[in-house]
Amino acid sequence: MCGIVGYIGNNDAKEILLRGLEKLEYRGYDSAGIAVISENGVQLFKEKGRIASLREVVDPNVECTCGIGHTRWATHGPPSKTNAHPHQSSSARFTLVHNGVIENYESLKREYLQGVQLVSETDTEIIVHLVELFMKEELSVEAAFRKTLSLLKGSYATALLDNEDSDRIYVGKNKSPLLVGLGDGVNVVASDALAMLQVTDRFVELMDEEIVIVTRDSVTIKTLDGIVIHREPYIAELDASDIEKGTYPHYMLKEIDEQPLVVRNIISKYQDDNGNVVLEEDIREAMKAADRIYIIAAGTSYHAGLVGKQLIEKLANKPVETHIASEFLYNMPLVSENPLFIFISQSGETADSRGVLVNVKKKGYKALTITNVPGSTLSREADYTLHTFAGPEIAVASTKAYTAQMAILALLAVDTAKNSGIEFDFDPIQELSIVATAMETLCDQKEAFEKIAREYLTVTRNCFFIGRSADYYVCLEGALKLKEISYIQAEGFAGGELKHGTIALIEEGTPVIALATHEHVNLSIRGNVKEVAARGAYPCIISMEGLHEESDRFVIPAVHEYLTPLVSVIPLQLIAYYAALHRGCDVDKPRNLAKSVTVE
Ligand code: M6R
């Protein structure tokens, strides 16, 4: 979702900002802009569409060493050049970018900005007008900025330029992520460290309701009341090469192929010299002490949570509920006496999950975050974090983060069982190694999935995925992958549920992809396939070695029954990838979607 960059140093600000915005493209956006301070004052460049289009309108001759930039994912007002950020105050003295949603912008407009002509339809624009308004009260720019931010309700990460001062960027944050990066005679601002690794790997985290005054040589963090705060920087452990595509045509394909490596990485990070799973002692204790686990997540991470529920219940004999983050607060169950909340989030920034976390912490419950980004908001605000070590995931469609989340949940389940004295016959390290090898075998057979995609999905308008037990959860994920990148109407169903309504949708030629990787449901799911085939469907069975039949379209190498989702999802990821490719879709940046969903 929207991304922010800022630069103040001695080099060409416009090029650094544009490169920074390119690194944020993966988050999803529909327009972009930069503002730089030149000899002639602030120069503004905005464009609807891709950064490549913005590049074309940026004047290459502008000399500048300070500026801010933004990628916008429309919330208030459609994508357009006018609604793109940065926005300016009426006199054009102030220029501002913003990520988040200002919930009370209508009432602030009514109360303070009656006579002001607003140019855009955004909630953002009022912020920059308020700063200008409060300057009339003879406040300093900093004080006017703090006063403005203290009136805002909602979420913001924001950066402000003053046309009369080319030596300062003012930054503010509440609920939306924002970092300040430290260099030598240069400092930067970014929604995400990836954007500014080109300048530095030393970053300072900002907390909610803080502002920062950024100059070339200093970074001063303050509360909205003006109290100075000292905070140590950290080194972002990211390798710039991790975010390059290399020889791959798309990030999604690269990330699918990285899954065996990610699983092996997880094995090595969570294993001691004796081959035992090692988790932090306080996580072990929290799991042991909990009488019920509540998993909260969105999208693909929610699907990993469904598998996690099965794993923890089967192995550790502990009751688990998995909930969609955006629904949890409306449909909050009666929480047990001693719950533990587990938040699963690739980005660690999902606003829906964070909304639940804030609520849960207010009630004094303990929270654990499973995330790919340890310094993220959900990681910082929870009591404990388990890192998925999947490396940056750039494609909007989540792939390696999902398998990593399930691998971590398996280790957590095993460790909890062990710690509670429960006997089981499952060596997670050995079984995950088998999974990694099976994943490799699947990734080496891409032609088979390309063929399935071409045959089944090139012209269809819909597709169903059916499975039972854990296969059903993977079907939900397979359907999400297909719809988000190929725009084919796709749904995942529990095989047994079809005849209760959905089977009415089956027509001559409707593609139905069925997973059959579990012995106890093998016959029943095959029965469901027969039912849809009898009504004209075009079925494609993907089964597991040992359970397969001759007519199956693809047979996955056998892995332990607890871990089948980690491998059975790979054919579905690849089928979705090739379907999108055949239909000419933008695989890595699907329409309307954002990688990091930072608004509720
Ligand atoms: O960063 P998170 O894991 O919290 O994100 C949750 C969802 O937005 C995300 O999984 C989304 O569904 C993906 N685009 C699916 O591929």
Side-chain angles (χ1 to χ4, degrees), residues 298-301 344-348 350 396-398 405 480-481 484 595 597:
T300 289
S301 298
I344 307 179
S345 174
Q346 188 285 131
S347 62
T350 299
V396 165
S398 185
Q405 289 162 351
L480 178 60
K481 282 296 83 87
E484 71 180 322
K595 180 69 182 163
V597 185

PDB file of all heavy atoms in Angstrom, residues 298-301 344-348 350 396-398 405 480-481 484 595 597, ligand 1:
ATOM      1  N   ALA A 298      -4.912 -12.503   8.029  1.00  0.00           N
ATOM      2  CA  ALA A 298      -5.704 -12.127   6.845  1.00  0.00           C
ATOM      3  C   ALA A 298      -5.159 -12.841   5.615  1.00  0.00           C
ATOM      4  O   ALA A 298      -3.967 -13.170   5.562  1.00  0.00           O
ATOM      5  CB  ALA A 298      -5.609 -10.611   6.632  1.00  0.00           C
ATOM      6  N   GLY A 299      -6.035 -13.054   4.635  1.00  0.00           N
ATOM      7  CA  GLY A 299      -5.619 -13.579   3.328  1.00  0.00           C
ATOM      8  C   GLY A 299      -4.862 -14.888   3.427  1.00  0.00           C
ATOM      9  O   GLY A 299      -5.264 -15.832   4.119  1.00  0.00           O
ATOM     10  N   THR A 300      -3.734 -14.921   2.738  1.00  0.00           N
ATOM     11  CA  THR A 300      -2.911 -16.129   2.716  1.00  0.00           C
ATOM     12  C   THR A 300      -2.448 -16.521   4.116  1.00  0.00           C
ATOM     13  O   THR A 300      -2.394 -17.705   4.461  1.00  0.00           O
ATOM     14  CB  THR A 300      -1.699 -15.870   1.788  1.00  0.00           C
ATOM     15  OG1 THR A 300      -2.204 -15.825   0.456  1.00  0.00           O
ATOM     16  CG2 THR A 300      -0.652 -16.941   1.893  1.00  0.00           C
ATOM     17  N   SER A 301      -2.133 -15.537   4.934  1.00  0.00           N
ATOM     18  CA  SER A 301      -1.668 -15.842   6.301  1.00  0.00           C
ATOM     19  C   SER A 301      -2.795 -16.504   7.096  1.00  0.00           C
ATOM     20  O   SER A 301      -2.541 -17.356   7.958  1.00  0.00           O
ATOM     21  CB  SER A 301      -1.208 -14.563   7.000  1.00  0.00           C
ATOM     22  OG  SER A 301      -0.127 -14.017   6.298  1.00  0.00           O
ATOM     23  N   ILE A 344      -0.409 -13.960  12.566  1.00  0.00           N
ATOM     24  CA  ILE A 344       0.433 -14.411  11.455  1.00  0.00           C
ATOM     25  C   ILE A 344       0.370 -13.335  10.380  1.00  0.00           C
ATOM     26  O   ILE A 344      -0.721 -12.970   9.923  1.00  0.00           O
ATOM     27  CB  ILE A 344      -0.056 -15.747  10.861  1.00  0.00           C
ATOM     28  CG1 ILE A 344      -0.208 -16.807  11.969  1.00  0.00           C
ATOM     29  CG2 ILE A 344       0.906 -16.248   9.798  1.00  0.00           C
ATOM     30  CD1 ILE A 344      -0.714 -18.159  11.460  1.00  0.00           C
ATOM     31  N   SER A 345       1.536 -12.832   9.999  1.00  0.00           N
ATOM     32  CA  SER A 345       1.545 -11.770   8.995  1.00  0.00           C
ATOM     33  C   SER A 345       2.899 -11.710   8.305  1.00  0.00           C
ATOM     34  O   SER A 345       3.919 -11.516   8.965  1.00  0.00           O
ATOM     35  CB  SER A 345       1.242 -10.424   9.662  1.00  0.00           C
ATOM     36  OG  SER A 345       1.382  -9.380   8.731  1.00  0.00           O
ATOM     37  N   GLN A 346       2.891 -11.887   7.001  1.00  0.00           N
ATOM     38  CA  GLN A 346       4.135 -11.769   6.245  1.00  0.00           C
ATOM     39  C   GLN A 346       4.767 -10.406   6.509  1.00  0.00           C
ATOM     40  O   GLN A 346       5.912 -10.317   6.905  1.00  0.00           O
ATOM     41  CB  GLN A 346       3.827 -11.945   4.752  1.00  0.00           C
ATOM     42  CG  GLN A 346       5.041 -12.028   3.837  1.00  0.00           C
ATOM     43  CD  GLN A 346       5.747 -10.710   3.564  1.00  0.00           C
ATOM     44  OE1 GLN A 346       6.981 -10.626   3.693  1.00  0.00           O
ATOM     45  NE2 GLN A 346       5.009  -9.676   3.231  1.00  0.00           N
ATOM     46  N   SER A 347       3.998  -9.358   6.275  1.00  0.00           N
ATOM     47  CA  SER A 347       4.543  -7.990   6.355  1.00  0.00           C
ATOM     48  C   SER A 347       4.681  -7.502   7.789  1.00  0.00           C
ATOM     49  O   SER A 347       5.501  -6.641   8.077  1.00  0.00           O
ATOM     50  CB  SER A 347       3.609  -7.038   5.617  1.00  0.00           C
ATOM     51  OG  SER A 347       2.330  -7.035   6.259  1.00  0.00           O
ATOM     52  N   GLY A 348       3.854  -8.018   8.663  1.00  0.00           N
ATOM     53  CA  GLY A 348       3.833  -7.501  10.035  1.00  0.00           C
ATOM     54  C   GLY A 348       3.189  -6.126  10.129  1.00  0.00           C
ATOM     55  O   GLY A 348       3.292  -5.440  11.145  1.00  0.00           O
ATOM     56  N   THR A 350      -0.151  -5.481   8.591  1.00  0.00           N
ATOM     57  CA  THR A 350      -1.551  -5.515   8.183  1.00  0.00           C
ATOM     58  C   THR A 350      -2.443  -4.828   9.224  1.00  0.00           C
ATOM     59  O   THR A 350      -2.494  -5.240  10.391  1.00  0.00           O
ATOM     60  CB  THR A 350      -1.969  -6.980   7.940  1.00  0.00           C
ATOM     61  OG1 THR A 350      -1.142  -7.470   6.898  1.00  0.00           O
ATOM     62  CG2 THR A 350      -3.422  -7.108   7.542  1.00  0.00           C
ATOM     63  N   VAL A 396       3.155  -9.484  -5.064  1.00  0.00           N
ATOM     64  CA  VAL A 396       1.959  -9.264  -4.233  1.00  0.00           C
ATOM     65  C   VAL A 396       1.367 -10.603  -3.795  1.00  0.00           C
ATOM     66  O   VAL A 396       0.947 -10.781  -2.656  1.00  0.00           O
ATOM     67  CB  VAL A 396       0.925  -8.402  -5.001  1.00  0.00           C
ATOM     68  CG1 VAL A 396      -0.438  -8.464  -4.330  1.00  0.00           C
ATOM     69  CG2 VAL A 396       1.410  -6.959  -5.068  1.00  0.00           C
ATOM     70  N   ALA A 397       1.375 -11.576  -4.700  1.00  0.00           N
ATOM     71  CA  ALA A 397       0.838 -12.899  -4.345  1.00  0.00           C
ATOM     72  C   ALA A 397       1.836 -13.603  -3.428  1.00  0.00           C
ATOM     73  O   ALA A 397       2.971 -13.871  -3.804  1.00  0.00           O
ATOM     74  CB  ALA A 397       0.610 -13.713  -5.608  1.00  0.00           C
ATOM     75  N   SER A 398       1.392 -13.893  -2.236  1.00  0.00           N
ATOM     76  CA  SER A 398       2.288 -14.500  -1.246  1.00  0.00           C
ATOM     77  C   SER A 398       2.482 -15.985  -1.560  1.00  0.00           C
ATOM     78  O   SER A 398       1.519 -16.716  -1.808  1.00  0.00           O
ATOM     79  CB  SER A 398       1.642 -14.331   0.124  1.00  0.00           C
ATOM     80  OG  SER A 398       2.511 -14.795   1.112  1.00  0.00           O
ATOM     81  N   GLN A 405       5.390 -19.843   7.001  1.00  0.00           N
ATOM     82  CA  GLN A 405       4.502 -19.720   8.178  1.00  0.00           C
ATOM     83  C   GLN A 405       4.062 -21.105   8.654  1.00  0.00           C
ATOM     84  O   GLN A 405       4.045 -21.395   9.854  1.00  0.00           O
ATOM     85  CB  GLN A 405       3.265 -18.891   7.811  1.00  0.00           C
ATOM     86  CG  GLN A 405       3.560 -17.418   7.609  1.00  0.00           C
ATOM     87  CD  GLN A 405       2.465 -16.686   6.840  1.00  0.00           C
ATOM     88  OE1 GLN A 405       1.540 -17.297   6.299  1.00  0.00           O
ATOM     89  NE2 GLN A 405       2.560 -15.366   6.783  1.00  0.00           N
ATOM     90  N   LEU A 480      -7.357 -18.416  -3.957  1.00  0.00           N
ATOM     91  CA  LEU A 480      -6.952 -17.018  -3.750  1.00  0.00           C
ATOM     92  C   LEU A 480      -5.820 -16.647  -4.708  1.00  0.00           C
ATOM     93  O   LEU A 480      -5.837 -15.578  -5.326  1.00  0.00           O
ATOM     94  CB  LEU A 480      -6.516 -16.798  -2.286  1.00  0.00           C
ATOM     95  CG  LEU A 480      -6.023 -15.396  -1.940  1.00  0.00           C
ATOM     96  CD1 LEU A 480      -7.087 -14.342  -2.189  1.00  0.00           C
ATOM     97  CD2 LEU A 480      -5.562 -15.315  -0.484  1.00  0.00           C
ATOM     98  N   LYS A 481      -4.841 -17.558  -4.839  1.00  0.00           N
ATOM     99  CA  LYS A 481      -3.717 -17.283  -5.761  1.00  0.00           C
ATOM    100  C   LYS A 481      -4.245 -17.042  -7.168  1.00  0.00           C
ATOM    101  O   LYS A 481      -3.865 -16.088  -7.814  1.00  0.00           O
ATOM    102  CB  LYS A 481      -2.741 -18.459  -5.815  1.00  0.00           C
ATOM    103  CG  LYS A 481      -1.749 -18.649  -4.703  1.00  0.00           C
ATOM    104  CD  LYS A 481      -0.724 -17.596  -4.501  1.00  0.00           C
ATOM    105  CE  LYS A 481      -1.267 -16.464  -3.696  1.00  0.00           C
ATOM    106  NZ  LYS A 481      -1.232 -16.480  -2.282  1.00  0.00           N
ATOM    107  N   GLU A 484      -6.351 -13.716  -7.514  1.00  0.00           N
ATOM    108  CA  GLU A 484      -5.671 -12.429  -7.357  1.00  0.00           C
ATOM    109  C   GLU A 484      -4.751 -12.091  -8.516  1.00  0.00           C
ATOM    110  O   GLU A 484      -4.560 -10.925  -8.828  1.00  0.00           O
ATOM    111  CB  GLU A 484      -4.952 -12.304  -6.011  1.00  0.00           C
ATOM    112  CG  GLU A 484      -3.732 -13.137  -5.806  1.00  0.00           C
ATOM    113  CD  GLU A 484      -3.099 -12.932  -4.439  1.00  0.00           C
ATOM    114  OE1 GLU A 484      -3.063 -11.808  -3.942  1.00  0.00           O
ATOM    115  OE2 GLU A 484      -2.606 -13.923  -3.864  1.00  0.00           O
ATOM    116  N   LYS A 595       0.653  -5.000  -1.513  1.00  0.00           N
ATOM    117  CA  LYS A 595       1.389  -6.037  -0.800  1.00  0.00           C
ATOM    118  C   LYS A 595       1.183  -5.911   0.702  1.00  0.00           C
ATOM    119  O   LYS A 595       0.997  -6.880   1.408  1.00  0.00           O
ATOM    120  CB  LYS A 595       2.879  -5.928  -1.149  1.00  0.00           C
ATOM    121  CG  LYS A 595       3.765  -6.961  -0.474  1.00  0.00           C
ATOM    122  CD  LYS A 595       3.497  -8.335  -1.036  1.00  0.00           C
ATOM    123  CE  LYS A 595       4.312  -9.421  -0.382  1.00  0.00           C
ATOM    124  NZ  LYS A 595       3.743 -10.754  -0.671  1.00  0.00           N
ATOM    125  N   VAL A 597      -1.078  -4.281   3.447  1.00  0.00           N
ATOM    126  CA  VAL A 597      -2.399  -3.640   3.509  1.00  0.00           C
ATOM    127  C   VAL A 597      -2.514  -2.855   4.820  1.00  0.00           C
ATOM    128  O   VAL A 597      -2.943  -3.375   5.847  1.00  0.00           O
ATOM    129  CB  VAL A 597      -3.524  -4.676   3.348  1.00  0.00           C
ATOM    130  CG1 VAL A 597      -4.877  -3.997   3.286  1.00  0.00           C
ATOM    131  CG2 VAL A 597      -3.313  -5.474   2.065  1.00  0.00           C
TER     132      VAL A 597
HETATM  133  O1  M6R B   1       1.311  -9.276   5.341  1.00  0.00           O
HETATM  134  P1  M6R B   1       0.164 -10.185   5.715  1.00  0.00           P
HETATM  135  O2  M6R B   1       0.549 -11.619   5.716  1.00  0.00           O
HETATM  136  O3  M6R B   1      -0.497  -9.790   7.000  1.00  0.00           O
HETATM  137  O4  M6R B   1      -0.885  -9.959   4.552  1.00  0.00           O
HETATM  138  C1  M6R B   1      -2.152 -10.560   4.615  1.00  0.00           C
HETATM  139  C2  M6R B   1      -2.817 -10.552   3.254  1.00  0.00           C
HETATM  140  O5  M6R B   1      -3.003  -9.248   2.814  1.00  0.00           O
HETATM  141  C3  M6R B   1      -1.983 -11.306   2.204  1.00  0.00           C
HETATM  142  O6  M6R B   1      -1.709 -12.615   2.612  1.00  0.00           O
HETATM  143  C4  M6R B   1      -2.731 -11.345   0.867  1.00  0.00           C
HETATM  144  O7  M6R B   1      -3.858 -12.134   0.971  1.00  0.00           O
HETATM  145  C5  M6R B   1      -1.810 -11.848  -0.236  1.00  0.00           C
HETATM  146  N1  M6R B   1      -1.778 -10.932  -1.334  1.00  0.00           N
HETATM  147  C6  M6R B   1      -2.219 -13.139  -0.812  1.00  0.00           C
HETATM  148  O8  M6R B   1      -1.353 -13.566  -1.811  1.00  0.00           O
END
